[in-house]
Amino acid sequence: MESIDILKSQDHSSGRLLKDKLVLGAVIVLSLITISPIILIIWKLVVEGYRQISLDFLIENTPDTFEAMTAVANGELIPGGIANGIVGTLLMVILASALAIPIGILTGIYLYENQGSFMANITRDISDILQGVPSIVLGLISYLWIVKHITMGFSALAGSVSLAIMMLPMIVRSTEETLKMIPESLKEAALALGVPYHKVILRVLIPTGFSGLITGILLGISRILGETAPLMLTALGSSMINLDMTKPTSAIPLLIWEFYNDPNMVGLIWSSSLLLMAMILVLNLVSKQIVAKRR
Amino acid sequence: MTTNTIAEVKNPILSLNDLSIAYDKNYAVKNVSVEIKKNTVTAIMGPSGCGKSTLLRALNRMHELYENITTEGEALLNGKNIYEMPAIKLRRHMGMVFQRPNPFPTMSIYDNVIAGYKLNGIRTKKVERDEIVERSLRDVALWDEVKDSLFKKGTFLSGGQQQRLCIARALAFSPEVILMDEPTSALDPIATAKIEDLLVKLKEHYTIVLVTHNMSQAARISDYSLFMYLGELVEYGKTKNMFTNPIDPRTEEYLTGKFG
Ligand SMILES: Nc1ncnc2c1ncn2[C@@H]1O[C@H](COP(=O)(O)OP(=O)(O)O)[C@@H](O)[C@H]1O
Ligand SMILES: [Mg+2]
């Protein structure tokens, strides 16, 4: 009896070995399927876009369609660059961050401090709903608030506000989650030293959760960097560098959309997308680095 | 309430008069009256759940973190009602050490010791700070072990070293009383022995109130002991007397290991 049992169990274990191999194979294939789109995208962008990338591409405004047409007809590179888009994107992302980060962090702290209170639950629900609102709808809201009533026309401010609303719930969430991960014992340690509550938050909880907060912020920024739809309804676009918050402004994703619609400019799509992807990739790597360092 | 108390303590540093503490309507500490003598180690013993931590945390008002808590009766520090002074001020006179070492993970060893000053924004000169850090670390016999790595993170230390660092952090303010809630229960026997030696030395300058569920620890290092059961103070007296000649049958049962 016993020997048969042993045989059986050996049989079982060699079967398990095969199963392990199959699972490993499946995991490898599935991960390849997962990463192949991103590799293919980057490959395509590099191959098609690298020729357009130069200093001019970073510091010149977009060419007009006639210049581009001539260049394309002569088989030359399209002149000019996307400086108006780069500056517009930076301007709007910085303003959006300046709005969303403080409000988001304060709200996150409020939610953390008032777990279970009625107002906190409502606030958290609204924030979650906001996260699910399609970005074009946020663009519409900003259009109604800012474009129609404040800047009386398309503007960088309106674009920033729509991006800030998009970013806000992400910051709220990441702040609350980060603070919840910090052990209660640290809070107690500080309170037991006679530290007033607000200083415990500012000087212990926030520094301890710093990497979590930064990661949330960087991911929020990389999320809004590529947003196009809300900007179409708010910032509109501009062929020149604009630093006036009340005037229409370009952005890299807006330019990509414009290039797509202009047969003469199609050559610029790849290099612009490449730049955008590179910016997002760098932000992601930086946030990964911060997390790794802090651990 | 029949409480077997020792003869009056002269000039007690802490006096509790009929102190009761309830979570919602459930009393976790019932009518405790005790006078704690300066420069002693006083142990609070009793089975798990009998209210030791609740009582200890009421002494530096950390219990106020729980919103459902109510406190009745009074507690006096040097004759002054602790519930009538600002909690922040009180806590600077009543250091606290917790069950698990909890150094601030973002801070160096040096900054951990001086954290009470830094976090409170109390300005000190660098020489003063250096002096406080060295004195506090020497007090907990950690100075020689860490003097060359003061600017490394406190979390790199071993568990026992971290706990001594936390004691140093509490000492930096020169508090009058140090409250400790099972400070060695997360440590190995060697680290525990070091801390016990330390407490005996520290009582020269400080008054220590130590919660422990380790009877032999209480017997080894405490001068006075409180035995609590179901929120009540059953017996209070010189540790030696209580261990050799307990008055209340419940104390005797606990000390002989019949329950708890
Ligand atoms: N935050 C709390 N809320 C409600 N009840 C609590 C809380 N903390 C402790 N208690 C209750 O109070 C009693 C005493 O607990 P505690 O002081 O932690 O005991 P000990 O430290 O002696 O183990 C227990 O019955 C426990 O369930
Ligand atoms: Mg306890």
Side-chain angles (χ1 to χ4, degrees), chain A:
Chain A
M1 258 331 248
E2 231 165 63
S3 61
I4 290 175
D5 269 359
I6 289 169
L7 270 181
K8 247 192 205 157
S9 78
Q10 272 175 346
D11 197 51
H12 195 77
S13 78
S14 76
R16 187 179 292 161
L17 218 64
L18 185 68
K19 232 189 255 166
D20 281 354
K21 277 190 180 154
L22 280 177
V23 169
L24 185 66
V27 167
I28 291 175
V29 170
L30 288 176
S31 2
L32 281 179
I33 291 175
T34 315
I35 61 169
S36 58
I38 189 89
I39 293 196
L40 288 176
I41 289 168
I42 293 173
W43 175 250
K44 178 78 177 166
L45 293 182
V46 171
V47 167
E48 301 277 346
Y50 82 94
R51 262 173 288 127
Q52 284 287 344
I53 301 254
S54 63
L55 186 62
D56 278 358
F57 182 73
L58 299 177
I59 61 170
E60 300 256 335
N61 285 338
T62 40
D64 61 40
T65 177
F66 185 73
E67 284 174 295
M69 190 173 73
T70 332
V72 171
N74 297 338
E76 292 162 7
L77 286 178
I78 302 174
I82 58 166
N84 45 338
I86 297 172
V87 172
T89 287
L90 291 180
L91 183 69
M92 287 191 282
V93 166
I94 288 172
L95 183 61
S97 307
L99 292 170
I101 293 171
I103 301 176
I105 289 186
L106 287 176
T107 311
I109 291 174
Y110 169 78
L111 295 185
Y112 165 74
E113 281 307 321
N114 296 280
Q115 297 293 329
S117 91
F118 180 74
M119 268 306 285
N121 286 342
I122 297 263
T123 310
R124 189 180 301 104
D125 289 345
I126 292 176
S127 167
D128 286 351
I129 291 169
L130 201 55
Q131 188 142 30
V133 173
S135 61
I136 190 135
V137 176
L138 299 180
L140 268 174
I141 291 168
S142 178
Y143 175 83
L144 291 175
W145 286 354
I146 314 287
V147 176
K148 294 273 278 210
H149 293 292
I150 294 184
T151 54
M152 305 300 170
F154 297 107
S155 65
L157 180 65
S160 301
V161 168
S162 66
L163 296 181
I165 305 174
M166 240 190 117
M167 202 173 165
L168 192 60
M170 300 179 70
I171 310 263
V172 171
R173 247 291 127 108
S174 73
T175 303
E176 188 189 2
E177 294 302 320
T178 302
L179 292 179
K180 270 161 93 177
M181 302 257 287
I182 298 175
E184 193 76 4
S185 61
L186 284 185
K187 208 160 114 180
E188 293 190 334
L191 287 169
L193 290 170
V195 182
Y197 206 82
H198 68 279
K199 285 189 183 162
V200 175
I201 293 175
L202 284 178
R203 297 184 178 174
V204 177
L205 298 188
I206 294 201
T208 307
F210 189 74
S211 65
L213 298 183
I214 291 290
T215 311
I217 289 168
L218 290 181
L219 292 179
I221 291 176
S222 71
R223 180 84 182 77
I224 60 169
L225 262 182
E227 267 307 315
T228 323
L231 296 185
M232 291 173 161
L233 306 180
T234 51
L236 192 67
S238 154
S239 57
M240 303 288 220
I241 290 180
N242 167 49
L243 293 173
D244 183 345
M245 296 308 302
T246 63
K247 294 275 153 51
T249 302
S250 191
I252 303 173
L254 277 179
L255 285 180
I256 296 174
W257 173 243
E258 284 169 22
F259 298 153
Y260 175 82
N261 286 312
D262 184 337
N264 299 314
M265 303 276 221
V266 169
L268 288 173
I269 290 180
W270 309 109
S271 45
S272 310
S273 307
L274 185 60
L275 184 67
L276 196 56
M277 278 293 285
M279 288 164 80
I280 292 171
L281 224 61
V282 166
L283 280 180
N284 275 284
L285 289 179
V286 168
S287 69
K288 287 239 160 67
Q289 205 60 35
I290 291 173
V291 175
K293 253 221 180 109
R294 278 261 165 171
R295 284 237 168 102

Side-chain angles (χ1 to χ4, degrees), chain A residues 113 184-197 199 203-204 207-209 294, chain B residues 57 62 65 88 91-92 94 96 98 102-106 115-116 118-121 169 173:
Chain A
E113 281 307 321
E184 193 76 4
S185 61
L186 284 185
K187 208 160 114 180
E188 293 190 334
L191 287 169
L193 290 170
V195 182
Y197 206 82
K199 285 189 183 162
R203 297 184 178 174
V204 177
T208 307
R294 278 261 165 171
Chain B
R57 293 164 69 93
M62 288 292 282
L65 287 183
I88 285 163
R91 288 174 189 158
R92 293 177 194 172
M94 296 266 226
M96 187 166 223
F98 298 82
N102 54 0
F104 297 115
T106 54
K118 274 207 146 174
L119 296 176
N120 279 309
R169 178 175 68 189
F173 258 144

